């Protein structure tokens, strides 16, 4: 746990250590009762506090890429999922309602490392995290501690020095949401082996095509050029 600016003393190029600045962030995650979004690799959350406060949706965009959609909190007057997000994931949830599935609250202390010109070289965020799975039965409250480094005007030498200083503090390995929901948050990707049956191969192929159609459906709703357009043929 980062408790003192003295931890950063003597780092290359650092003339001043400012902070810590306390920030509180609370994120509520939404999914169907059978976790359809999580299994498709989609994250839908409402975040309060921090610089990126608002509603966020992270969706697959093909080739292991993701697209991120953000709307302000005010877009949902009753606190429920905004209509545009409900429409955005329609191909994945069909008619199943979205509900709260997890909440993650973070108390963050941010240290800013500044050079002699006043430029911020890096920010070090010291997080105390408290999380709980929600749904039909509330899960146990889980807590952990982690540190994140974000370079600004700093270089690789500073980053290496910071990692060496903070080596004893656990860094985040998996997304917070995965930590809370474990295997439920893992995308369902069937594994094919040499001895897989023909039925398994066909099923895996069909699932891949369905995933592509769903991703294209999202692209259509976002008015992206690679979306699927379905029209009526004229004879």
């Amino acid at each position: 746990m980062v408790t003192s600016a003295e931890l950063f003393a003597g780092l290359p190029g650092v003339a001043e250590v400012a902070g810590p600045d306390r920030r509180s962030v609370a994120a509520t995650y939404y999914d169907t009762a059978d976790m359809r979004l999580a299994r498709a690799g989609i994250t839908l959350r409402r975040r309060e506090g921090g610089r990126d406060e608002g509603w966020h949706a992270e969706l697959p965009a093909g080739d292991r890429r993701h697209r991120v959609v953000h709307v302000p909190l005010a877009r949902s007057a009753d606190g429920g999922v905004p209509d545009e997000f409900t429409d955005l994931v329609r191909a994945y949830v069909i008619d199943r309602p979205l509900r709260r599935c997890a909440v993650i609250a973070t108390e963050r202390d941010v240290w800013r490392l500044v050079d002699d010109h006043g430029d911020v070289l890096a920010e070090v965020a010291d997080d105390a995290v408290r999380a709980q799975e929600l749904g039909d039965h509330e899960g146990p409250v889980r807590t952990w501690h982690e540190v994140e480094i974000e370079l600004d005007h700093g270089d690789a030498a500073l980053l290496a020095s910071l990692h060496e200083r903070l080596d004893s503090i656990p860094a985040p390995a998996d997304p917070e949401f995965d930590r809370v929901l474990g295997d439920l948050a893992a995308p369902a990707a069937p594994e094919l082996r040499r001895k897989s049956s023909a039925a398994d191969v066909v099923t895996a192929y069909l699932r891949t095509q369905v995933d592509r159609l769903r991703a294209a459906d999202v692209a259509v709703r976002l008015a992206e050029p690679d979306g699927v357009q379905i029209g009526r043929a004229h004879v």
Side-chain angles (χ1 to χ4, degrees), residues 100-184:
R100 298 190 311 154
C101 62
V103 60
I104 300 176
T106 304
E107 292 296 328
R108 168 169 289 190
D109 286 337
V110 178
W111 302 82
R112 287 172 288 112
L113 310 186
V114 184
D115 65 13
D116 53 8
H117 298 292
D119 293 326
V120 176
L121 300 176
E123 285 191 352
V124 179
D126 179 19
D127 292 345
V129 186
R130 179 183 176 89
Q132 184 177 26
E133 180 183 347
L134 305 176
D136 294 331
H137 303 285
E138 292 187 352
V141 175
R142 301 181 59 189
T143 61
W144 68 88
H145 185 272
E146 60 191 28
V147 173
E148 294 185 44
I149 303 170
E150 182 176 347
L151 279 184
D152 194 341
H153 291 83
D155 56 17
L158 175 60
L159 182 61
S161 297
L162 279 170
H163 277 297
E164 184 176 351
R165 294 280 181 94
L166 300 172
D167 189 52
S168 62
I169 302 175
D174 303 313
E176 293 175 343
F177 188 52
D178 288 1
R179 286 174 178 249
V180 179
L181 298 179
D183 293 338
L184 287 180

Side-chain angles (χ1 to χ4, degrees), residues 157-214:
L158 175 60
L159 182 61
S161 297
L162 279 170
H163 277 297
E164 184 176 351
R165 294 280 181 94
L166 300 172
D167 189 52
S168 62
I169 302 175
D174 303 313
E176 293 175 343
F177 188 52
D178 288 1
R179 286 174 178 249
V180 179
L181 298 179
D183 293 338
L184 287 180
E191 294 184 6
L192 293 179
R193 308 179 187 278
R194 287 187 177 183
K195 295 185 178 180
S196 294
S197 66
D200 290 339
V201 173
V202 172
T203 299
Y205 173 80
L206 291 176
R207 285 177 176 172
T208 299
Q209 301 312 307
V210 169
D211 288 344
R212 289 178 177 175
L213 286 173
R214 284 171 169 166

Side-chain angles (χ1 to χ4, degrees), residues 85-106:
F85 276 12
T86 303
D87 292 338
L88 201 57
V89 299
R90 183 73 65 190
Y92 294 91
V93 304
I94 312 301
D95 58 350
R96 290 168 174 78
L98 293 168
R99 65 178 189 175
R100 298 190 311 154
C101 62
V103 60
I104 300 176
T106 304

